[in-house]
Each structure stands twice: as structure tokens, then as C-alpha cells.
Amino acid sequence: MNDLASAAVPGRTRAAALQGALRRAAPALAAYAAIRLLGVAVLAVWSAANGKDWHTLLTARWDSLWYTRVAEQGYGYTVHLANGDVHSNLAFFPLLPWLEQGLAAVSPLSAADAGLAVAWSASLAAAWALYATGERLHGPRAGVALAALWAALPVGIVQSMAYSESLFTALAAWGVYAAVTGRWVWAGALASLAGLTRPVGAAVVAAVWVAAAVTVWNERAAGVRLRTALRTHPGMLTGVLLAPLGWCGYFLWVGARQGSLTGYLDVQGGWGNGFDGGVAFVRFLWQLPPLAGLGLAAGVALVIWLYVRGVRRGQPVPLAVYGGVVLLLALTAKGYFGSKPRLMMPAYPLLLPLAVGLAKWRPVRSWLVIGLVAAGSAVYGAFWLNGSGPP
């Protein structure tokens, strides 16, 4: 039983179940923390050699500055660029700045450092959710490998920045896990919080809704009446109703503030973002040198293959829907291409086939591979963040 499962168990039994879940997850959390600490350590050394401050790179660049400004000053800040673009802080969903503001109010931390504390704490919560998912589907070794692989992604350094990716992945992964285990109220509540964190929160809503629809469809196909099916799955209707509240609430609030139902889309358009079905992505590939374009296309093909591989291996519906929607939104969005690896980072179900494969190897061999990947990720993250970094 994992910690979400323990929510249904009263008193001391619930506490014991939570402690047991944490003990089982401890190796995954230790591996995750070690990989991320390696990344931060390499960043610190690299930054010092370049005359930069690693702490500033993690807390006061790009999106982290926008989140901090929302936490300190609220919404309404806008930058008008010479090329006509209009960058409004309404593009940034509110949960992370709310947490920054709240933590800074009750502690000596600045809003920026509060964002870093939230990100680091949330990244551990995400690693726990990934372990729980892998353990449930393929056993403990797959759970540990899944958490370690997520930590060692090439852009894994973002997990250690005052960005919203770690917070979103924690909420999304636990929400999807709750849907997999049939804890519908948890699933809906976590989906709603994920929807207050990033636009891609819509993927968690889709996972909850489709999972609920498939569950009801299967019950009806077996001859069960709808009312009986809903009683058989307590909390399902509540979870379905809760799931979209966060995402829709912020979308509608921005629309009301902007005086247009499409206000949030207009704000994103001012940043040069939006969805064009992948046209901008194909155009970007076409403009690259041939070898670079082919290499990038091969990388995208690999990502799609991992998704298909996971689905064909029987991934539960919530995982398959969530991973597919995150991948689809990342690949079909226009805007700066350098952001795409970061946008795909929450799509952890793509790593499940790799985690299962590593779990079948001898421990020495699998950890050697993970260690080499982690070292490469640490070096790349330090290079990336000291250079162009994640916009």
C-alpha cells in the first residue's frame, strides 16, 4: 500500500502504511537526491569557474524571475518588446507564486529562495510518485529506476530550479497514480491543483476524465447499470467534477481580466506561444543543417516510439492518456524550440519502458548505466545553465 492508498485507512494503521510506503521508496528517493545533488555540485563548480553564482542561476533567471515577481507584486506586470511582442505575467499559472508568497511570509526566506525550497521538496515528492507507479506496475526495481532516470534527464537541472516543473510533476504523478488506483477524489483534487500550476495541467484532467469514462464503459459493457457503477466506484463523480476546476478557473479568470473568453490564449500569443499542430516545429527542423535536422528528428521519433512501446505493453489508461497529451502539447506548440525538452520533462510515462528494461539487468550493470547518464546530465545541465539555459 502506498501513501495515497493509506488515505482510506484510519488512525495508526494509516500512519503505519505511510511509514511503510516511505521505507520502500527510500532507495528511490536516495538515488534521486544523489543524482540531483551531483547536478547542483557540478553546476556550482562550473559556475565558479565562469565567475557566476550557482544560486543565482537556480533562482533568478528566466521564468523564476517572473514567478518571483508575481509572488511579490501580484499580476499585472507587462513588458512590451521592440518586435511587437507583449510579455504579460498572466502567462504564469498561480500555484507556485502562491506557495512562494506563503512560505516567504512565515519564514526568513525570500520569495526566490522559497521557490527553490518548493521546487526541491516537490521534486522529491515527484520521485516518490514515480517510484510508487513503477513499483505498482513492474516491481520495486523498476520504481527505483524510473525515479533515477527522471532525475538524470538531460534537462534534469530544471528540477532543481525555482521553476514550476517539479511542482507540476509531483501533483500530476500523484494525481495519475490516484486514478490508476481508483482513488477518484484524490485524483480530481490533485488534477485541479496541477491545473493551477501549468497550462499542461489539462493533461491530468484528461487522464482523470478518460479513465473514469473507460471505467464506466467497461461496467456498462458488463451489464451494470450506471447508478450501480457509480456506487461501485465511490468518489468517481466528485473526482471528475473537481479535476478541471483549477485549470478552468485560472483560464476564465484571465479571460475576465482581459475582457475576452480567449484572454489566456491572447496572452500566450503575446509571448509567441500557441498551438499550430506542429507546423512551426517542422519548419524549425527544415531550417537546420541536414545532419542536425536528421538527428533531432531521430530524437523525436525515439520519444514517440517510447510512448507507443509503453502503450503496447499495457500501460494503464490514466498513464497512457497523460503521457500522450503532454507529448502532443509539447510537440505541437509553437514558440522557442529550446523549451521543448523542458516541456516534455513531466511526461515521465515515456521512461517506463527504459526503467523496466534496466530493472531486468544485474544491479551493477544497471547502476553503471544510470551513473553514466547522471554524470552526462550533470555536465550538460551546468553547460546549459551557464549558457543559453532554459528559456
Side-chain angles (χ1 to χ4, degrees), residues 138-197:
H138 303 288
R141 290 185 61 189
V144 173
L146 182 60
L149 286 173
W150 189 65
L153 287 173
V155 293
I157 191 65
V158 175
Q159 298 166 22
S160 301
M161 298 178 68
Y163 270 43
S164 62
E165 274 77 7
S166 290
L167 177 61
F168 173 77
T169 305
L171 295 168
W174 278 121
V176 171
Y177 179 80
V180 170
T181 56
R183 286 159 179 86
W184 296 104
V185 176
W186 274 103
L190 289 165
S192 186
L193 290 173
L196 281 171
T197 308

Side-chain angles (χ1 to χ4, degrees), residues 70 74-76 89-92 94 98 196 246-261 263-264:
V70 172
Y75 286 105
N89 64 0
L90 290 170
F92 296 87
W98 283 349
L196 281 171
W247 191 92
C248 289
Y250 187 67
F251 189 94
L252 292 174
W253 179 79
V254 173
R257 185 181 175 108
Q258 297 294 97
S260 169
L261 186 61
Y264 184 77

Side-chain angles (χ1 to χ4, degrees), residues 120-141:
W120 286 19
S121 301
S123 69
L124 285 171
W128 190 352
L130 268 59
Y131 169 79
T133 301
E135 178 198 41
R136 181 177 182 85
L137 298 179
H138 303 288
R141 290 185 61 189

Side-chain angles (χ1 to χ4, degrees), residues 239-387:
V240 166
L241 294 175
L242 282 173
L245 293 183
W247 191 92
C248 289
Y250 187 67
F251 189 94
L252 292 174
W253 179 79
V254 173
R257 185 181 175 108
Q258 297 294 97
S260 169
L261 186 61
T262 61
Y264 184 77
L265 298 179
D266 298 336
V267 168
Q268 285 285 6
W271 282 80
N273 297 327
F275 298 95
D276 61 2
V279 173
F281 177 44
V282 173
R283 186 181 297 119
F284 175 81
L285 285 176
W286 186 258
Q287 293 172 349
L288 289 173
L291 287 180
L294 287 174
L296 190 54
V300 172
L302 174 62
V303 168
I304 295 173
W305 178 84
L306 286 172
Y307 174 72
V308 173
R309 178 76 168 172
V311 172
R312 293 184 64 181
R313 283 192 167 191
Q315 272 186 10
V317 170
L319 276 171
V321 172
Y322 168 76
V325 173
V326 173
L327 182 61
L328 179 66
L329 293 177
L331 293 180
T332 59
K334 62 181 179 179
Y336 182 62
F337 177 80
S339 297
K340 290 192 181 295
R342 177 168 64 88
L343 297 177
M344 287 191 287
M345 191 172 66
Y348 65 90
L350 301 178
L351 299 173
L352 262 174
L354 299 177
V356 173
L358 285 173
K360 295 177 181 178
W361 291 2
R362 291 183 178 181
V364 172
R365 185 183 177 192
S366 62
W367 281 111
L368 177 61
V369 171
I370 290 174
L372 291 173
V373 173
S377 171
V379 171
Y380 179 74
F383 166 78
W384 192 45
L385 203 51
N386 274 274

